[in-house]
Amino acid sequence: MTDPAPSPDEARAALDEAARHADRLRLEDQKLRLVLVVIAVAYIAAGFLLAIPRVQQPAVSPGLILLVVMGGVVVACVVLLRRMRAASRRGITRYFQSIIAFGLWNVTVLVVSVATGWWAPGMPGFHFTISTVVAAVPLVVAAALMGARPR
Amino acid sequence: MSHPRHELDALLGHPVRYSIVALLAGATRAEFGYVRDQVEVSDSVLSKQATALEEAGYLKVHKGFVGRRTRTWLSLTGEGRKRFERHLAALRRIATGDLAGA
């Protein structure tokens, strides 16, 4: 039992403080948003690199460039996540949901691309690029929603 | 129906402890320095209040390394979260003047 009771104004001030803390935590979620953006950009860049026809390929092999890009992504994500001082429950949940959605959507895009012949020998390279852009949609949507105020 | 003040948590009646728990309620975990900065207290005050909350089972303290530096993380336990929710519900009733209960 706690006595005396806070006044209605004191109770409102305490409730406001809790809401303020939740808002500040959402600012920390911006780092998770950045991680999603980095993954999406790297994924689309990889799509472009792998779609370059062999005859037009740069002196350095696209496979090597891809390896460097992916290595950079891993390092960037680790650095960003290590710099996070706090993470909201909502932000972390949404982050992992986004990664799972991205994985599932990716498989769907791959299966549909192969089954419909969109990816087939002799098809232009931009088909592959378009598929990677479509596959990255869940990451882009999640990044846009990350850190948004809950309704 | 009882007055909502009876539902208030005695431990959370302390303003610093309330602030710490209110901050951690929305977080999976938060770094000690982040909590200190947000609650605007010194290391020693936070340490003392965090220990009180930990001993009461409201909070967990995790220690780990980031590179060579040690870092301390704080998180609420399930019990701490439940107590805070009950405390918030009582505060809402007081704030809205619902002293008899819905």
Side-chain angles (χ1 to χ4, degrees), chain A residues 1-18 21-22 24-26 28 81-90 92, chain B residues 3 5-6 8-10 18-19 22-23 25-31 33-34 36-39 66-67 71 73 81 84 88 91-92 94-96:
Chain A
M1 191 160 89
T2 310
D3 220 11
S7 68
D9 281 345
E10 287 168 337
R12 270 192 290 275
L15 291 168
D16 286 348
E17 185 187 346
H21 284 312
R24 287 180 189 156
L25 268 176
R26 269 196 290 280
E28 281 293 305
L81 291 173
R82 278 172 63 155
R83 284 174 64 95
M84 285 191 74
R85 300 176 72 201
S88 78
R89 285 153 63 86
R90 190 183 160 84
I92 287 287
Chain B
H3 191 285
R5 73 172 181 277
H6 300 304
L8 290 171
D9 192 287
Y18 174 82
S19 296
L23 173 62
T28 48
R29 62 180 195 168
E31 197 195 327
Y34 177 82
R36 177 200 60 211
D37 295 346
Q38 296 298 325
V39 177
V66 175
R71 271 206 200 169
W73 299 85
R81 203 171 294 284
F84 179 67
L88 272 191
L91 285 175
R92 275 190 208 106
I94 293 169
T96 56

Side-chain angles (χ1 to χ4, degrees), chain B residues 4 11 14 18 23 29 35 40 48 50 58 60-61 65 67 69 71 73 76 79 81 87 92-93 95-96 98 100:
Chain B
L11 206 63
H14 188 287
Y18 174 82
L23 173 62
R29 62 180 195 168
V35 179
E40 297 175 15
K48 187 179 167 192
Y58 287 46
K60 261 193 226 162
V61 178
F65 284 91
R69 289 165 52 193
R71 271 206 200 169
W73 299 85
L76 276 196
E79 181 61 22
R81 203 171 294 284
H87 188 80
R92 275 190 208 106
R93 281 178 60 197
T96 56
D98 175 21

Side-chain angles (χ1 to χ4, degrees), chain A residues 23-94:
Chain A
D23 278 341
R24 287 180 189 156
L25 268 176
R26 269 196 290 280
L27 288 178
E28 281 293 305
D29 288 345
Q30 299 300 326
K31 287 173 189 155
L32 290 175
R33 167 186 280 186
L34 206 53
V35 170
L36 293 175
V37 169
V38 166
I39 297 172
V41 168
Y43 194 76
I44 292 168
F48 272 104
L49 278 173
L50 292 175
I52 298 171
R54 256 177 214 286
V55 286
Q56 295 169 13
Q57 279 177 6
V60 181
S61 109
L64 186 64
I65 298 172
L66 189 67
L67 209 64
V68 172
V69 169
M70 290 305 168
V73 169
V74 171
V75 170
C77 292
V78 168
V79 168
L80 282 168
L81 291 173
R82 278 172 63 155
R83 284 174 64 95
M84 285 191 74
R85 300 176 72 201
S88 78
R89 285 153 63 86
R90 190 183 160 84
I92 287 287
T93 305
R94 195 165 264 181

